[in-house]
Amino acid sequence: MTENISGAVSLKVLAERKADGVQKTTRFQVDPRIIEIEPGFNGRPIDQEHVESIKASIKTGAELDALVVRVEDGRIILVDGHHRLTGILQLIAEGVEILRIDARQFRGNDAERIAHMLTSAQGKPLTPLEQGLQYRKLIGFGWTNQEVASKVGKSANYVSQMLTLAESNSDVQGMVTRKEVAAHVALEVVKKHGSGAGKILAGHLETARSAGKTKVTKKTVTPTEQPTPRPIYGDLLDTQRLDYLIDQKAVVFHGGKTVSGESKRGFWLLWPNIDETQPGVFENSRAAIDVAMQSQVEKEKAR
């Protein structure tokens, strides 16, 4: 240890005397009302419940971590601490006198700001979908999957999967955001059905709701995601049914469905590629396929 530390009464004094293990960092006091929020930058939508918990902490005298800001052409722009700043501004609007708050300056480019947000331990954690959307921004800056993975402390495979989720259609992302399906379940369906995943998941959600559930789970998906059973050997009609499903790229669905305002359970067909659902509900899969096959024959005769 440095000898010249006797009588020191603060970290500032120790830093000024160059004591071993003590270093001064630069922080500033900033009026929170002049800090700007960059539209579209924050990967975490504001959660008012989380904001309320921060406000409660401030009222009890808790000391918050400094906000992270950048300075551009005289403007002070927030980099990290969106929930903290929101809570502080709400308290000011409610009459609490907060004149200045701690802030420290971030130095780095746009990609580094996103990487900082992804790795910050102070903010509300990002959901898998929110992570994937931010990973996409870094990929757009020329980063590789491996570079992103190394920066955020994840595996390259994890980054790849979150990118797949981030590149799924908006109907899938909407269901994930509304917590109607878990991200890992949605990801599996996207891998299997691509652009048709949203329609598949919507069907599963209807089945789940008919059973009194509020979301699609792995258990909801698994029964209808099993491979189509092989036909009984020698049964020509079953072979024809299987050939029809393969040719039409159709899926047999089993579960609850609303028909003419009435909730029913049974089987029906779904064509994900053309976004079409078979009308009605049938007592077994063969009946559903037979009706669809007959409908096709009638359409061809009418041409």
Side-chain angles (χ1 to χ4, degrees):
M1 293 288 292
T2 304
E3 295 181 0
N4 190 27
I5 62 174
S6 177
V9 294
S10 70
L11 289 174
K12 179 181 179 182
V13 171
L14 287 172
E16 289 173 346
R17 295 182 182 180
K18 303 188 184 307
D20 289 343
V22 181
Q23 185 174 358
K24 182 180 178 181
T25 60
T26 303
R27 287 197 178 185
F28 302 90
Q29 290 272 300
V30 179
D31 183 340
R33 293 167 295 185
I34 67 173
I35 299 176
E36 300 181 29
I37 294 178
E38 180 180 350
F41 172 74
N42 184 27
R44 306 172 181 89
I46 296 299
D47 179 346
Q48 186 58 35
E49 184 176 347
H50 185 49
V51 170
E52 292 298 333
S53 69
I54 292 174
K55 290 165 64 177
S57 297
I58 295 173
K59 288 178 180 179
T60 60
E63 185 175 341
L64 300 182
D65 290 306
L67 300 184
V68 181
V69 300
R70 63 187 177 91
V71 178
E72 181 179 315
D73 194 25
R75 299 161 57 211
I76 302 175
I77 304 172
L78 188 63
V79 173
D80 187 23
H82 290 75
H83 280 86
R84 279 167 281 164
L85 179 59
T86 299
I88 290 166
L89 293 176
Q90 288 184 8
L91 286 174
I92 292 174
E94 293 166 10
V96 178
E97 191 173 4
I98 302 175
L99 301 180
R100 282 169 289 279
I101 56 175
D102 285 339
R104 63 183 179 85
Q105 186 171 352
F106 177 85
R107 297 185 183 278
N109 61 29
D110 44 8
E112 290 168 332
R113 291 197 294 272
I114 293 171
H116 173 84
M117 176 176 57
L118 286 165
T119 56
S120 171
Q122 305 303 327
K124 187 174 183 289
L126 292 169
T127 66
L129 176 57
E130 290 165 356
Q131 290 175 34
L133 293 172
Q134 298 307 310
Y135 295 164
R136 281 190 68 198
K137 293 180 181 179
L138 293 178
I139 296 298
F141 290 132
W143 292 39
T144 65
N145 286 12
Q146 186 58 59
E147 288 170 337
V148 174
S150 298
K151 185 65 178 180
V152 301
K154 304 286 186 181
S155 69
N157 181 59
Y158 178 84
V159 170
S160 177
Q161 291 191 60
M162 294 308 101
L163 286 170
T164 297
L165 186 61
E167 291 166 359
S168 63
N169 284 350
S170 58
D171 51 0
V172 175
Q173 293 188 17
M175 291 184 68
V176 173
T177 300
R178 293 189 297 272
K179 298 183 179 180
E180 295 170 344
V181 59
H184 71 280
V185 176
L187 182 61
E188 289 303 313
V189 178
V190 168
K191 287 180 179 178
K192 289 182 180 180
H193 299 285
S195 61
K199 188 66 176 178
I200 294 286
L201 287 169
H204 285 310
L205 181 60
E206 187 170 354
T207 299
R209 285 173 172 167
S210 69
K213 309 289 185 178
T214 59
K215 67 185 297 184
V216 177
T217 64
K218 185 70 174 177
K219 188 176 180 180
T220 312
V221 172
T222 300
T224 54
E225 291 297 309
Q226 296 296 327
T228 305
R230 297 172 67 91
I232 301 173
Y233 290 110
D235 188 335
L236 179 60
L237 187 53
D238 266 348
T239 302
Q240 291 173 342
R241 292 183 179 113
L242 180 57
D243 288 342
Y244 173 82
L245 290 176
I246 295 173
D247 179 67
Q248 293 289 309
K249 296 182 175 61
V251 178
V252 177
F253 241 90
H254 176 244
K257 185 179 181 184
T258 302
V259 179
S260 301
E262 183 180 354
S263 180
K264 296 183 178 181
R265 291 188 65 82
F267 295 80
W268 68 92
L269 300 190
L270 176 68
W271 291 265
N273 290 346
I274 60 175
D275 193 23
E276 183 174 331
T277 302
Q278 183 182 26
V281 174
F282 304 88
E283 61 179 333
N284 57 60
S285 58
R286 287 183 174 86
I289 298 170
D290 289 346
V291 169
M293 291 171 64
Q294 183 60 37
S295 176
Q296 183 187 37
V297 170
E298 293 174 356
K299 287 181 181 178
E300 291 176 350
K301 286 182 179 179
R303 291 177 182 173

